Amino acid sequence: MKKKLIRLLVIIIPLLTLDQVTKYFAKEILAEKTVPVIKGVLEFRYLENRGAVWGSLQNQLLLLVTVTIILSAVLLVFYFKMPDGKKNTPLLYLVPIILAGAIGNFIDRIVYNYVIDFIYFKIINFPIFNVADIYVTCSTIILAILIIFYYKDEDFQWMQFKKAKTGDE
């Protein structure tokens, strides 16, 4: 348990710091301008997102905060309940990365009532996003691929609820 907590913090703290530092600079530097990184391809452009992914659920702060708390709690239970072992190593890293992203955007919602987004792929007109979004999206995609192609049902037997023994058995 202690080893898992240390691993969790060693992963989350630097990732969360990077997310919050980049958002701080985005708010301070980009509020009045757009900065081309690769002309016509990638820009830094400040946006206050009061919704969720791709601007959905606009102005639903209470719902978004509640969902973040619930999903983060579920991920933490999953993480601490998961047995150590080589097979679970990817999960022991992916879950904290997802949590770092969730916490990063959660902090924005609590402090500002919106999430600071600033990375814009102009070439494909992709919705503006941030570093925390990268953590959540990439880790979730990798997790889905692992669940589909790497893990088997028996690898998750530890997640099943155990029936309490009764005197009738």
Side-chain angles (χ1 to χ4, degrees):
M1 177 85 153
K2 185 177 177 182
K3 182 179 174 183
K4 280 187 181 176
L5 178 60
I6 291 169
R7 180 188 303 116
L8 184 79
L9 295 174
V10 164
I11 294 169
I12 288 179
I13 291 171
L15 292 177
L16 188 55
T17 302
L18 176 63
D19 172 64
Q20 292 298 299
V21 166
T22 58
K23 289 175 180 174
Y24 170 80
F25 283 115
K27 188 170 181 63
E28 294 298 313
I29 296 169
L30 301 173
E32 301 295 323
K33 61 185 171 191
T34 296
V35 176
V37 178
I38 302 171
K39 189 174 181 171
V41 177
L42 177 65
E43 296 178 350
F44 290 154
R45 178 187 294 181
Y46 182 79
L47 174 74
E48 295 175 356
N49 183 354
R50 288 174 168 71
V53 63
W54 297 318
S56 63
L57 299 172
Q58 286 294 308
N59 299 310
Q60 299 295 316
L61 181 65
L62 183 59
L63 173 65
L64 294 170
V65 165
T66 303
V67 168
T68 301
I69 291 169
I70 292 168
L71 290 177
S72 295
V74 168
L75 282 173
L76 284 168
V77 168
F78 176 83
Y79 178 81
F80 283 109
K81 195 172 178 186
M82 182 187 340
D84 287 326
K86 189 175 182 180
K87 187 81 173 183
N88 290 330
T89 299
L91 299 175
L92 291 167
Y93 288 92
L94 289 172
V95 170
I97 295 169
I98 293 169
L99 281 167
I103 294 167
N105 286 339
F106 178 81
I107 289 170
D108 286 10
R109 286 192 177 97
I110 296 300
V111 172
Y112 305 114
N113 291 333
Y114 56 83
V115 173
I116 297 170
D117 288 334
F118 63 93
I119 303 169
Y120 176 55
F121 278 105
K122 185 176 185 174
I123 194 167
I124 58 172
N125 194 26
F126 195 79
I128 302 172
F129 58 97
N130 62 47
V131 174
D133 296 337
I134 295 169
Y135 300 157
V136 172
T137 303
C138 292
S139 296
T140 302
I141 290 169
I142 294 167
L143 180 61
I145 291 168
L146 288 171
I147 289 171
I148 293 168
F149 297 108
Y150 178 68
Y151 290 108
K152 308 292 180 238
D153 288 344
E154 56 270 11
D155 294 325
F156 295 105
Q157 291 295 319
W158 55 268
M159 287 178 48
Q160 294 181 0
F161 293 101
K162 294 182 172 97
K163 290 182 181 178
K165 290 187 178 184
T166 62
D168 297 336
E169 294 177 15

